Amino acid sequence: MNLIIKKNHNISQRKISKNSMKVLYRLNKSGYEAYLVGGGVRDLLLSKKPKDFDIATNAKPNEIRKLFKNCRLIGRRFIIAHLIFKNEIIEVSTFRAKNNTAKNHKLYSPNIKKSNNGMLLCDNNFGKVEEDAYRRDLTINALYYSIKDSGIRDYIGGIKDIKQKIIRLIGDAETRYREDPVRMLRVVRFSVRLNMYIDKKTEAPINKLSKLLTNIPPARLFTESIKLFCFGYGYLTYIRLRKYSLVYSLLPFLLNKFSKKNTIFFKNIIIYCFKKVDFPTTKKKLRCPEFLFASLLWYPLIEKIKKLLTRNKLKYLKAYSMSVHYILKKYSILLGIPKNILLNIEKIWNLQKDIETKKNCENKKIIQNNIFFQALELISLRSRAENQNELKKILFFWNKKIFFLKKI
Ligand code: ATP
Ligand code: MG
């Protein structure tokens, strides 16, 4: 183990959230070992603001629950404690033991269960901090900071990889991806967000194993999609996910067949909408994932409407409402999009016609509606994707209207 003492690193306790400090302090005071670990340590070392703070301890889940009133135990594969504070949730996990599922091995644990394809199904086997380090995904995520001595414990070489900007999976890459295919997405996400290189051995099996993502429950994939696409690096992440064939499990409609015209529009809108979400040009923030999925699914919707109109000879409104229902249902099942987000996607779509026909254009209330603003942004993307003058004129009309309505 390499101990990096206080004067040799840049982590200051002032940068750690007060709640995490309290949790670490209380665990230590009650006689448990406890460390800040994961993104909190990694991002502070890289002088970035951590998204959240994770804690690892030798206290067992029910011991954590006894210490904290605001504790909720979650997860089946591995039980962790969520400590719920006003503005943040702190994840406290108990040190995991070395992974061994071979029945004749001396460290065999009946608490670790794998599926036939190597995926971890149940992993409630607790161990020591040095064992826990080997169960983490990346070397840069396996650094343990103690508030007792302000030192960082590095069991695997995370500090060197941070300095050299290398994303390196711990252990045999193929085995670790088979245990949990989401690790492939995490490798890509951190390589983009932290602007780091992916180590060759970590990179090598990804293309071949990318299909394993189909075994992941859609709700988990959707949570990952938000982390991948909605934090300012969506476009670059999308490009890199494509490179490793990982994007198709997250956005399966990329493989849909479209008419010639819609193929071009669809390709264009993908680029434009990721860039728009990453770099909003207006002061109001675009709501990701609602806006992203409303835009990405727009041409699959148009294609479906077209099919119903030609094959079933339906009236436009009927074909439209059937298609909306069909697309939202299909992708809520495939992508795990939650209901509240589906509702907003539908509202953004429904407003497209109203905006095109200038409905309610004298109503001041309409411009205060956030969904209207998202819908107008979709009109803007469509006008660019299709290079359509009519839509550009409509956009111009509304922008002028909004300007005057705001003045009243
Ligand atoms: P961020 O919170 O900025 O997205 P993070 O690395 O903190 O990044 P979390 O999802 O908060 O990511 O996870 C906390 C820590 O738990 C990770 O740093 C890593 O050590 C461990 N971890 C998370 N997911 C996995 C996984 N699939 N396999 C192994 N370890 C994991
Ligand atoms: Mg984290």
Side-chain angles (χ1 to χ4, degrees), residues 85-142:
F85 292 91
K86 217 175 175 189
N87 304 319
E88 70 177 318
I89 295 177
I90 294 174
E91 220 172 82
V92 185
S93 58
T94 307
F95 299 148
R96 265 176 246 203
K98 271 203 181 109
N99 168 9
N100 219 308
T101 46
K103 277 209 170 119
N104 53 1
H105 194 282
K106 62 176 189 293
L107 285 173
Y108 167 70
S109 163
N111 291 332
I112 298 178
K113 291 198 180 78
K114 281 189 178 185
S115 73
N116 288 342
N117 53 19
M119 201 151 91
L120 278 176
L121 301 175
C122 177
D123 183 11
N124 282 314
N125 201 27
F126 306 122
K128 299 199 183 93
V129 57
E130 50 270 48
E131 291 177 87
D132 185 80
Y134 284 89
R135 302 299 315 282
R136 301 211 162 247
D137 54 351
L138 309 174
T139 57
I140 59 166
N141 286 345

Side-chain angles (χ1 to χ4, degrees), residues 57-204:
T57 176
N58 63 351
K60 306 264 165 61
N62 49 7
E63 294 172 329
I64 302 170
R65 188 160 52 184
K66 277 188 196 143
L67 276 181
F68 299 94
K69 263 197 270 164
N70 56 341
C71 170
R72 201 175 293 160
L73 298 185
I74 58 151
R76 240 181 291 161
R77 201 168 57 110
F78 187 75
I79 299 174
I80 50 170
H82 270 182
L83 303 186
I84 324 263
F85 292 91
K86 217 175 175 189
N87 304 319
E88 70 177 318
I89 295 177
I90 294 174
E91 220 172 82
V92 185
S93 58
T94 307
F95 299 148
R96 265 176 246 203
K98 271 203 181 109
N99 168 9
N100 219 308
T101 46
K103 277 209 170 119
N104 53 1
H105 194 282
K106 62 176 189 293
L107 285 173
Y108 167 70
S109 163
N111 291 332
I112 298 178
K113 291 198 180 78
K114 281 189 178 185
S115 73
N116 288 342
N117 53 19
M119 201 151 91
L120 278 176
L121 301 175
C122 177
D123 183 11
N124 282 314
N125 201 27
F126 306 122
K128 299 199 183 93
V129 57
E130 50 270 48
E131 291 177 87
D132 185 80
Y134 284 89
R135 302 299 315 282
R136 301 211 162 247
D137 54 351
L138 309 174
T139 57
I140 59 166
N141 286 345
L143 295 164
Y144 296 75
Y145 174 87
S146 162
I147 58 161
K148 272 189 181 170
D149 59 7
S150 301
I152 297 172
R153 281 140 185 86
D154 178 7
Y155 299 91
I156 308 177
I159 290 284
K160 193 169 162 218
D161 284 344
I162 286 216
K163 283 187 184 148
Q164 298 187 343
K165 292 189 140 285
I166 294 174
I167 301 287
R168 192 192 310 274
L169 208 67
I170 298 167
D172 172 63
E174 179 155 348
T175 314
R176 301 297 318 275
Y177 290 141
R178 284 191 186 277
E179 280 176 4
D180 181 6
V182 168
R183 288 176 186 147
M184 294 185 274
L185 299 177
R186 292 177 56 89
V187 162
V188 170
R189 173 154 70 90
F190 293 124
S191 79
V192 174
R193 191 171 118 206
L194 306 173
N195 193 16
M196 286 184 160
Y197 311 99
I198 305 176
D199 160 65
K200 281 217 171 74
K201 284 188 184 156
T202 300
E203 181 183 40

